[in-house]
Amino acid sequence: MITINNKLKKLREESKLSLRDLGEKTGLSASFLSQIELGQVSPSIASLENIANALNVHITHFFDDQTKPDSIVMRKNERKRIYSQGSKAIIQPLAHKISKKKIEPFMLTLEVGGESGEHPYSSHHGEEFGMVIQGKVRFTLENNEYILEDGDSVYFNSTKPHRWQNIAKKEAFIILVIPGA
């Protein structure tokens, strides 16, 4: 499991932003951002997306291992994992860092009661694809709710507010494909 605290602090400092400045750009409090940097709390998936956008990086920056060469194959045991305690979720990239990827595939694991964020978010441009591999989730797009189960998929404009929630009594596994860098 990797943590984002060191990468977040380094990016913020490289951008010459104070915690307050970053808070204004993300809508998150400076104290919450400080707690993330100190490793005391983990952000929701929606908050992590907002932070990445405010720092002008892709969410995958928090997964990237700059020491590894580009590779077209990613073994299961090579996947990095970010655990979001607030979302009760694990995010895992399904492709290595490759320069100028057009898409970013992820595995989103939602624990019982897990969600992408407390509120719908629309922090990235482009289109998004999601497929429930296992479980039962409520997918909200704008004001519309859809119940998705094993094998169901969605394709939508990701600038529209959206949210994922696990509504079953077991983990849910979702493949997500979002726009690349």
Side-chain angles (χ1 to χ4, degrees), residues 75-119:
R75 304 288 179 202
K76 181 179 180 178
N77 65 346
E78 295 175 322
R79 290 187 206 151
K80 304 290 185 196
R81 298 161 47 104
I82 289 182
Y83 180 71
S84 171
Q85 187 173 0
S87 291
K88 294 170 65 175
I90 298 169
I91 309 167
Q92 296 179 77
L94 298 175
H96 285 292
K97 175 190 101 27
I98 295 178
S99 307
K100 299 180 183 174
K101 279 191 286 198
K102 301 223 185 306
I103 62 169
E104 295 287 349
F106 288 92
M107 169 79 79
L108 175 62
T109 303
L110 295 175
E111 295 175 351
V112 174
E115 59 192 10
S116 56
E118 188 175 336
H119 303 287

Side-chain angles (χ1 to χ4, degrees), residues 125-141:
H125 295 286
E127 297 171 329
E128 190 168 324
F129 171 82
M131 181 175 184
V132 177
I133 301 301
Q134 179 182 312
K136 185 175 183 178
V137 298
R138 176 183 297 118
F139 173 70
T140 305
L141 182 64

Side-chain angles (χ1 to χ4, degrees), residues 5-178:
N5 57 329
N6 293 332
K7 284 191 175 190
L8 171 57
K9 184 174 183 175
K10 183 178 182 212
L11 273 174
R12 181 182 59 77
E13 289 174 346
E14 286 173 354
S15 299
K16 298 184 180 8
L17 293 173
S18 68
L19 287 167
R20 182 168 291 159
D21 294 336
L22 184 56
E24 288 175 10
K25 292 180 97 172
T26 60
L28 302 170
S29 73
S31 64
F32 179 67
L33 291 167
S34 175
Q35 290 175 325
I36 295 171
E37 286 187 1
L38 293 170
Q40 297 172 340
V41 298
S42 61
S44 70
I45 296 165
S47 295
L48 186 58
E49 286 244 20
N50 286 336
I51 292 167
N53 286 336
L55 293 170
N56 295 315
V57 296
H58 199 274
I59 192 172
T60 56
H61 179 83
F62 297 110
F63 298 102
D64 288 345
D65 182 350
Q66 302 298 329
T67 62
K68 289 196 171 201
D70 288 355
S71 174
I72 62 168
V73 174
M74 176 179 269
R75 304 288 179 202
K76 181 179 180 178
N77 65 346
E78 295 175 322
R79 290 187 206 151
K80 304 290 185 196
R81 298 161 47 104
I82 289 182
Y83 180 71
S84 171
Q85 187 173 0
S87 291
K88 294 170 65 175
I90 298 169
I91 309 167
Q92 296 179 77
L94 298 175
H96 285 292
K97 175 190 101 27
I98 295 178
S99 307
K100 299 180 183 174
K101 279 191 286 198
K102 301 223 185 306
I103 62 169
E104 295 287 349
F106 288 92
M107 169 79 79
L108 175 62
T109 303
L110 295 175
E111 295 175 351
V112 174
E115 59 192 10
S116 56
E118 188 175 336
H119 303 287
Y121 65 101
S122 56
S123 61
H124 50 270
H125 295 286
E127 297 171 329
E128 190 168 324
F129 171 82
M131 181 175 184
V132 177
I133 301 301
Q134 179 182 312
K136 185 175 183 178
V137 298
R138 176 183 297 118
F139 173 70
T140 305
L141 182 64
E142 292 185 303
N143 295 319
N144 300 306
E145 290 186 354
Y146 307 91
I147 304 301
L148 305 174
E149 299 185 58
D150 300 7
D152 294 341
S153 59
V154 294
Y155 185 89
F156 59 97
N157 180 334
S158 54
T159 60
K160 294 181 179 181
H162 55 282
R163 180 177 184 222
W164 298 90
Q165 297 171 279
N166 183 355
I167 58 173
K169 295 185 193 272
K170 62 180 182 176
E171 284 184 319
F173 299 91
I174 305 163
I175 300 290
L176 294 174
V177 181
I178 63 176

